[in-house]
Amino acid sequence: MVEITIRKRPRTEAVITQRKFFKKTARGKVVKVLRERYLRDDVACGIQGCRECSTEIPEPLPFSGSSEHQLYPNGHYLLPDTNVFLAQMDLIESSLFTPPIILLQTVIEEVRHRSLPLYNRLKALTKSEDKSIWIFYNEYRSETAIVREENEIPNDRNDRGIRVATAWYNTHISLTRPPIRGQKQTPHPTVVLMTEDAANREKAEKSGVTSSSVRKYVEGMKDANLLLDLLAADGSQEIEPTKAASGRQALYPDYLPISTLLAGVKAGELHQGHFNANQYNYLEGSVPVPAFDKPILLVGRENMNRAVQGDIVVVEVFPEKEWKAPADEVVDQEATLKNDDAEDSGEEGDENGEEVSVKESRVLSGSSSQKPPSERQPTGRVVGVVKRNWRAYVCHIDNTSLTSTLTTSLSTQTVFATPVSRLLPRIRLRTRQAPILLNQKILVTIDRWDATSRYPEGHFVRALGRVESKEAEQESLLLEFEVPYRPFGKAILDCLPPEGDQWVVPPKGEFDVQNIWREREDLRDVIVCSIDPPGCQDIDDALHAKLLPNGNIEAGVHIADVSHFVLPDNPMDSEAAARGTTVYLVDNRIDMLPSLLGTNLCSLRPFVERLAFSSIWELTPDAEIVSVRFTKSVIKSKAAFTYEEAQIRKDDPNLQDDLTNSIRLLNSLAIKLKAKRMAAGALNLASPEVKIHLDSAESSDPIDVEQKELRETNSLVEEFMLLANISVAKKIEESFPQTAVLRRHLPPPKTNFEKLQDILRKTKGLSLDVSSSGALAASLDICVDANEPAFNTLVRIMATRCMLSAEYFSSGSVAKNTFGHYGLASKIYTHFTSPIRRYADVLVHRQLSAAIGFTPLHATLHSKSHVERVLDVVNRRHRMAQMAGRASVEFYVGLALKARGEQAKVRGEADVKEEAFVIRTFRNGVGVFVSKLGIEGLVTFKRDTQFDAENYTITVPGAKKDVKISVFDKVIVRIEVEKDKNTQRGKVKMTLVEPVDSSAL
Ligand SMILES: [Zn+2]
């Protein structure tokens, strides 16, 4: 589908409208803007072989339309109105939905105005090769352009415009196909207006225009059974109402009007924030808001009032005497609500509804009464939703909710879809394919959540494949974390150098037509090498060091010169900005940049000349900085080492070559740099990192999991990257105080540590000083248990979880005294060293290049609001990428455990058992951390235990006497992977083996 461009040929008589409005310029001047519309009569209809319109259209609409629809045997074209695209995009995107579509300019503009994400999907659709979509510029064609009448609201004007365009098409088709004398007139195809608005349909029929509702249209299609599932559960649809919707009592309070919400927030009486569901307990949620140190707690479904993870909600806070502490209980939605009937959900009076509310109220009342008042936090209820953040969710059909599992039966059933994410409620959906969809991962969208329905209602989008198949699991992971993973399109690939993988750094002199050598330093003779994990293909950074005659040391960090290839504002740049980061999964990598750049032209491979951006210091032997300079350069790396190879080389006393000696120099400096950082109060935090061994690159079957080993050379590279990032941050902040792209890590609120401090004090008699990062670092160092070496790591992991996450920001957007990076104990910081895989670094490269006068700064990087907007996306993508990576590891750990368990069985051995530490106690279980595998698990007991919330202990009956378990205790767990009954998803199940066998509890 190709868009046509309209060459504006002003014809004085054809100016039919003049829009006049006033606009404020950036400098505050008010200017009058006159917008004139020039009309033409050669805007093409897009139908193949049309006698009147231009025929040189590459992919036109078929001459006879489509005759595959029952209602339109003479052929038809479909002309949907704006609301169809807004509400039914999943249907239109389906590969089974193939009628030729006429897309009006009016409709495109309305969609863009109403929803940017849907507009982007629509745009992608017009470019897709398996769709026949013609964009008709109705506002430019004289017969179809209309002017808003007096007293006509814009919406009505657009509806009328759409009807006029439909009518014009039908006339145009009959006029361009006059009957030929002596031949029987062949019937013409019809243009069908598709709209959900009954009044609009009535008006259309009155003026002789054929129209249809979406449902009626889909029912006449060949694949109706499959396509009907894709319809959004929208109130305006003619579906038979479920019992829930048929005039029954509301289960949830109504939302306040939006104006009341906004006024309340403004006055400080109500609070606005993102809703966070509690993954352990579906009856609790929280909303962090600026007015309180602790987030506002929401207890019970009624108080959460239909909020879904990520929604922006408005909350009313109860009087302080009603505040509560979070419950220490694992409350599983699937178990508590398993008897709920999907067809029937919402019935409050029935037995089942009562059973649920009894269970729920027991949970709700039992919890917080015995808690110390210090643990109470502001408590309230949701009174409105400002913005829904609903998207498509990966789910499984809950097999117990099916009334029929006959695969031959294609009758509509209402079933539950259980989202993979534990943060989401079950979704009710109506489908004809339920039996076929069992054991598949499917994508489901939430459409609505009425006050009369206990659950949100949604519709099926598409199936991803069989549960536990690699393809389905991998795609669902990308979808769950909103990772953009489509292949790079042509417009993006067109931005690559035309020489492709034949591109080389041109020789100096007359053949350098692009002037690449201009002001670039020739560092090809410098002994540069790279040190990375094994198998690294996207080599961002390389290093060198050498002794200077004055006894000081020159050290250099050379970073791939990505901004030489990725120019501001072209399609490749926009795509990289939208992706934000490369995403690393266990057996897959979703690149931010096309691989020609990432793994070839920008990758600082050994023995080839590459463009680099170098940061070169003169350091004293004590690692004091004497000077630093930045320069664009050409390097030729002498070696690409793995951490292990570099380490072995450094430690081999027989090697005295330049390369090895430069690694030794770098290492001695790195040790001193690290010591200085630690002395300044940097935190040495721990995150559980594991390595997954795969069978082979092809099969990607995990064989085993082991903990990652860290060598001296890891630290070497890390120290020099930190040094480069800090030096560059200072330079760009100096040059561009308003728009420098920086990275900060805010100090955690002291209250975040209260619980960990209390646990440490009560269980180990240790104290944690959190007054500054230096104090915290020092007190973490002495948090040791002589009998348990892993204890210190465990405390570091738990402390890390009390921290906030680091974020990118524009230097002009926040107060200068909040620039600091808490974890690194640096006053200023940025990301410069990984431009192949992080977009922020690309921006930093452009700013540094401008700061040294190499290239002028692109206009967008002078705009604070532009930089803020880009960094918002990048920050979000980074969080999502981290979560996707972690989920990928978890999935493979699960597979590896399953394999290990099976092997054990074959050998006749017992199950997989591992050492674990208790990190949390619940009323009905314990949370444990298995450090060897880097995974967390939950051991739950069916029987009640004696729970001492104040001392973080539970007491359970043992074989001979009662056993007390408290946080930090070392236990042994049995790890199995079992299929979750409802969702068919493999789930790691842990049971205690020691100190008690919990299988009977
Ligand atoms: Zn035509």
Side-chain angles (χ1 to χ4, degrees):
M1 173 63 242
V2 174
E3 265 185 58
I4 56 165
T5 36
I6 309 268
R7 281 166 292 118
K8 281 194 183 153
R9 272 190 319 184
R11 295 188 307 175
T12 40
E13 73 278 11
V15 176
I16 63 153
T17 55
Q18 270 196 343
R19 277 179 64 211
K20 214 187 295 181
F21 56 93
F22 294 92
K23 204 178 138 186
K24 215 169 168 188
T25 67
R27 292 207 177 122
K29 214 172 115 192
V30 175
V31 293
K32 187 163 86 178
V33 180
L34 263 180
R35 198 157 279 171
E36 291 178 340
R37 205 154 42 129
Y38 298 97
L39 297 180
R40 335 176 12 153
D41 38 23
D42 59 349
V43 175
C45 69
I47 297 172
Q48 185 176 35
C50 174
R51 296 208 324 196
E52 196 191 299
C53 304
S54 145
T55 49
E56 286 158 45
I57 299 160
E59 289 152 74
L61 298 169
F63 183 77
S64 327
S66 157
S67 50
E68 278 193 356
H69 199 281
Q70 281 177 12
L71 295 171
Y72 315 109
N74 297 332
H76 76 290
Y77 307 98
L78 197 61
L79 195 150
D81 76 357
T82 311
N83 283 319
V84 172
F85 287 105
L86 291 175
Q88 307 289 1
M89 195 63 92
D90 290 329
L91 170 76
I92 296 167
E93 282 175 341
S94 163
S95 58
L96 298 174
F97 192 82
T98 52
I101 293 173
I102 296 163
L103 175 57
L104 298 184
Q105 178 191 7
T106 309
V107 171
I108 298 181
E109 278 168 14
E110 267 193 303
V111 172
R112 181 169 57 190
H113 187 67
R114 298 273 298 277
S115 160
L116 217 49
L118 285 172
Y119 170 71
N120 287 331
R121 283 167 73 181
L122 180 57
K123 233 173 37 180
L125 210 57
T126 60
K127 290 183 186 127
S128 136
E129 277 167 20
D130 44 341
K131 293 275 168 194
S132 167
I133 299 181
W134 177 255
I135 300 174
F136 180 64
Y137 288 84
N138 62 312
E139 303 279 359
Y140 288 121
R141 177 141 192 149
S142 52
E143 297 101 321
T144 53
I146 62 160
V147 183
R148 178 142 69 101
E149 285 164 359
E150 224 172 300
N151 303 327
E152 191 178 35
I153 59 166
N155 199 19
D156 288 346
R157 178 247 179 232
N158 289 339
D159 281 351
R160 185 163 60 87
I162 294 168
R163 288 196 304 275
V164 167
T166 317
W168 173 83
Y169 253 100
N170 282 318
T171 315
H172 181 72
I173 290 171
S174 55
L175 285 178
T176 52
R177 301 178 193 190
I180 298 166
R181 202 183 303 227
Q183 278 183 23
K184 218 173 132 208
Q185 166 78 22
T186 44
H188 305 144
T190 317
V191 176
V192 180
L193 171 64
M194 184 187 250
T195 175
E196 295 290 54
D197 179 347
N200 197 11
R201 285 202 299 273
E202 200 176 306
K203 280 185 194 151
E205 300 290 342
K206 249 183 212 156
S207 55
V209 169
T210 310
S211 69
S212 173
S213 72
V214 177
R215 177 161 292 268
K216 193 172 142 220
Y217 182 86
V218 173
E219 277 168 352
M221 293 184 77
K222 200 171 71 204
D223 294 303
N225 276 331
L226 299 172
L227 287 168
L228 281 170
D229 275 3
L230 300 177
L231 294 191
D234 188 55
S236 65
Q237 269 170 37
E238 308 139 26
I239 47 172
E240 64 270 45
T242 54
K243 269 200 248 164
S246 59
R248 92 132 69 84
Q249 212 184 327
L251 297 172
Y252 298 102
D254 277 333
Y255 293 141
L256 298 177
I258 194 85
S259 54
T260 314
L261 297 177
L262 297 178
V265 171
K266 206 170 169 195
E269 288 154 4
L270 300 174
H271 304 275
Q272 181 177 323
H274 282 93
F275 173 77
N276 288 319
N278 180 334
Q279 59 165 332
Y280 294 114
N281 180 349
Y282 79 100
L283 293 173
E284 258 182 35
S286 62
V287 180
V289 299
F292 298 97
D293 278 348
K294 287 184 178 177
I296 299 172
L297 183 68
L298 308 169
V299 181
R301 289 201 276 182
E302 197 179 312
N303 289 327
M304 291 192 277
N305 199 1
R306 296 169 278 154
V308 176
Q309 176 70 16
D311 286 350
I312 300 176
V313 297
V314 173
V315 181
E316 175 193 60
V317 173
F318 299 147
E320 202 167 332
K321 62 178 192 315
E322 291 172 40
W323 290 7
K324 293 181 173 168
D328 283 301
E329 183 152 14
V330 180
V331 187
D332 185 49
Q333 172 173 222
E334 279 158 28
T336 314
L337 303 176
K338 64 170 183 267
N339 293 324
D340 253 11
D341 183 349
E343 293 281 357
D344 223 28
S345 142
E347 189 86 323
E348 217 29 337
D350 68 3
E351 253 171 68
N352 175 41
E354 236 157 64
E355 188 191 322
V356 168
S357 30
V358 167
K359 262 193 223 163
E360 291 192 352
S361 59
R362 185 191 62 77
V363 171
L364 293 179
S365 63
S367 53
S368 95
S369 41
Q370 11 157 322
K371 283 295 194 60
S374 64
E375 290 205 8
R376 298 210 183 115
Q377 60 192 72
T379 306
R381 65 185 185 104
V382 171
V383 292
V385 176
V386 175
K387 188 171 178 249
R388 289 292 193 187
N389 258 326
W390 294 348
R391 55 181 172 87
Y393 302 104
V394 180
C395 298
H396 307 254
I397 298 270
D398 177 347
N399 58 6
T400 60
S401 67
L402 264 64
T403 44
S404 158
T405 50
L406 283 176
T407 40
T408 45
S409 135
L410 281 178
S411 59
T412 308
Q413 308 185 38
T414 303
V415 297
F416 280 129
T418 308
V420 168
S421 164
R422 303 187 66 85
L423 300 172
L424 298 162
R426 292 197 286 185
I427 304 167
R428 249 153 45 99
L429 64 95
R430 295 169 62 72
T431 171
R432 285 166 166 73
Q433 307 171 65
I436 306 166
L437 296 179
L438 284 178
N439 301 324
Q440 298 224 42
K441 291 222 151 180
I442 62 169
L443 211 51
V444 173
T445 300
I446 301 182
D447 298 315
R448 54 192 307 197
W449 195 345
D450 292 338
T452 51
S453 169
R454 184 173 285 147
Y455 301 98
E457 287 175 59
H459 70 273
F460 164 77
V461 181
R462 70 188 164 93
L464 302 171
R466 204 174 45 77
V467 167
E468 287 188 324
S469 72
K470 294 265 161 48
E471 297 70 32
E473 294 295 342
Q474 198 170 75
E475 192 181 2
S476 53
L477 217 136
L478 297 174
L479 288 163
E480 255 322 274
F481 299 100
E482 297 170 69
V483 176
Y485 62 97
R486 281 170 190 275
F488 292 102
K490 185 171 178 301
I492 295 162
L493 298 177
D494 282 348
C495 302
L496 293 168
E499 300 90 342
D501 57 6
Q502 301 295 306
W503 183 93
V504 288
V505 176
K508 267 184 186 173
E510 57 176 316
F511 294 107
D512 181 16
V513 283
Q514 287 177 48
N515 228 352
I516 284 177
W517 280 94
R518 178 193 66 107
E519 291 172 50
R520 256 179 212 276
E521 251 179 80
D522 187 349
L523 302 179
R524 288 177 294 180
D525 293 334
V526 177
I527 311 290
V528 169
C529 70
S530 61
I531 309 175
D532 290 286
C536 175
Q537 290 177 300
D538 41 358
I539 306 174
D540 282 299
D541 53 271
L543 307 109
H544 88 269
K546 66 179 179 204
L547 272 171
L548 295 171
N550 66 1
N552 283 343
I553 299 157
E554 177 189 282
V557 164
H558 311 275
I559 305 298
D561 189 7
V562 171
S563 64
H564 173 84
F565 295 97
V566 183
L567 301 176
D569 245 5
N570 70 17
M572 184 158 69
D573 183 48
S574 312
E575 180 70 18
R579 294 190 179 215
T581 175
T582 291
V583 181
Y584 293 86
L585 305 179
V586 170
D587 62 349
N588 194 11
R589 195 185 66 220
I590 316 296
D591 287 325
M592 178 182 88
L593 290 169
S595 64
L596 176 68
L597 293 185
T599 59
N600 190 349
L601 304 191
C602 290
S603 183
L604 302 177
R605 296 169 164 189
F607 322 120
V608 283
E609 294 179 5
R610 286 289 177 245
L611 302 181
F613 207 157
S614 304
S615 175
I616 299 169
W617 300 265
E618 182 179 339
L619 298 160
T620 66
D622 281 330
E624 293 296 335
I625 298 173
V626 177
S627 66
V628 59
R629 65 191 178 88
F630 307 99
T631 177
K632 292 262 188 164
S633 62
V634 178
I635 62 162
K636 191 172 177 183
S637 167
K638 305 294 177 276
F641 295 122
T642 63
Y643 291 116
E644 190 182 6
E645 285 164 358
Q647 185 73 40
I648 290 169
R649 212 176 163 103
K650 186 205 128 251
D651 293 340
D652 183 347
N654 297 323
L655 291 174
Q656 287 303 331
D657 57 289
D658 286 351
L659 200 51
T660 310
N661 283 328
S662 101
I663 294 175
R664 288 186 188 127
L665 265 181
L666 287 166
N667 192 57
S668 69
L669 289 169
I671 291 169
K672 288 163 191 155
L673 287 168
K674 182 164 184 179
K676 281 188 219 284
R677 258 183 346 103
M678 291 302 161
L683 291 171
N684 184 9
L685 295 167
S687 61
E689 277 203 76
V690 293
K691 187 173 160 189
I692 294 180
H693 294 275
L694 298 179
D695 196 359
S696 71
E698 290 77 44
S699 78
S700 67
D701 279 330
I703 292 290
D704 215 346
V705 194
E706 70 167 0
Q707 246 173 317
K708 267 189 193 161
E709 198 184 331
L710 288 181
R711 296 184 174 80
E712 225 179 349
T713 42
N714 290 77
S715 177
L716 181 167
V717 174
E718 191 190 341
E719 289 306 322
F720 275 95
M721 295 307 127
L722 293 175
L723 186 66
N725 288 335
I726 293 170
S727 298
V728 170
K730 285 180 187 155
K731 179 77 182 174
I732 58 174
E733 201 269 332
E734 224 170 74
S735 307
F736 308 107
Q738 284 303 302
T739 58
V741 171
L742 300 177
R743 186 168 175 81
R744 66 173 177 174
H745 183 208
L746 289 171
K750 301 242 176 339
T751 52
N752 283 20
F753 286 102
E754 280 171 4
K755 192 150 189 177
L756 179 59
Q757 285 172 311
D758 194 44
I759 296 176
L760 280 168
R761 193 168 44 240
K762 284 176 178 156
T763 60
K764 297 272 179 178
L766 292 166
S767 67
L768 211 53
D769 182 352
V770 299
S771 55
S772 70
S773 63
L776 177 58
S779 59
L780 278 174
D781 285 345
I782 52 169
C783 264
V784 286
D785 178 340
N787 301 319
E788 188 43 73
F791 170 72
N792 185 262
T793 313
L794 194 64
V795 176
R796 286 181 198 274
I797 290 171
M798 290 166 77
T800 309
R801 295 192 180 166
C802 302
M803 307 270 178
L804 302 172
S805 44
E807 59 178 7
Y808 297 107
F809 67 101
S810 168
S811 55
S813 309
V814 306
K816 201 160 176 174
N817 61 4
T818 65
F819 279 14
H821 195 295
Y822 181 80
L824 297 171
S826 176
K827 285 198 183 71
I828 190 166
Y829 192 66
T830 193
H831 270 166
F832 165 73
T833 52
S834 295
I836 296 177
R837 56 189 179 86
R838 294 188 305 227
Y839 189 72
D841 303 49
V842 176
L843 297 179
V844 168
H845 275 231
R846 287 179 189 150
Q847 290 182 333
L848 184 64
S849 174
I852 60 169
F854 189 84
T855 42
L857 192 63
H858 191 261
T860 52
L861 286 178
H862 279 302
S863 154
K864 201 164 77 182
S865 60
H866 176 88
V867 174
E868 278 172 13
R869 257 198 320 276
V870 174
L871 294 182
D872 271 352
V873 176
V874 172
N875 279 326
R876 213 174 86 80
R877 291 289 188 218
H878 263 272
R879 281 196 301 273
M880 291 299 212
Q882 276 176 347
M883 290 194 274
R886 245 177 270 148
S888 167
V889 169
E890 267 164 34
F891 172 66
Y892 276 97
V893 169
L895 286 187
L897 286 172
K898 205 171 156 190
R900 227 200 249 183
E902 276 156 17
Q903 284 159 14
K905 253 184 217 127
V906 171
R907 290 194 301 266
E909 290 165 14
D911 319 310
V912 179
K913 286 178 195 163
E914 291 286 353
E915 246 177 42
F917 290 91
V918 175
I919 52 171
R920 216 175 147 173
T921 46
F922 295 98
R923 177 174 305 280
N924 57 342
V926 290
V928 296
F929 178 72
V930 184
S931 54
K932 196 173 159 199
L933 303 172
I935 56 169
E936 246 178 271
L938 203 55
V939 178
T940 53
F941 312 134
K942 284 186 202 73
R943 278 213 261 159
D944 269 348
T945 63
Q946 276 173 273
F947 178 56
D948 182 353
E950 250 184 88
N951 291 304
Y952 310 99
T953 59
I954 52 171
T955 309
V956 291
K960 290 186 188 123
K961 55 179 177 88
D962 285 357
V963 181
K964 206 179 197 181
I965 303 174
S966 75
V967 172
F968 293 127
D969 278 2
K970 196 200 281 191
V971 295
I972 306 248
V973 289
R974 182 186 308 120
I975 305 172
E976 298 154 280
V977 178
E978 62 169 17
K979 251 190 188 176
D980 183 283
K981 277 202 190 71
N982 284 351
T983 62
Q984 299 299 308
R985 124 183 46 133
K987 197 161 104 177
V988 173
K989 189 190 162 199
M990 295 194 194
T991 29
L992 281 184
V993 182
E994 281 175 33
V996 281
D997 186 339
S998 73
S999 51
L1001 290 175

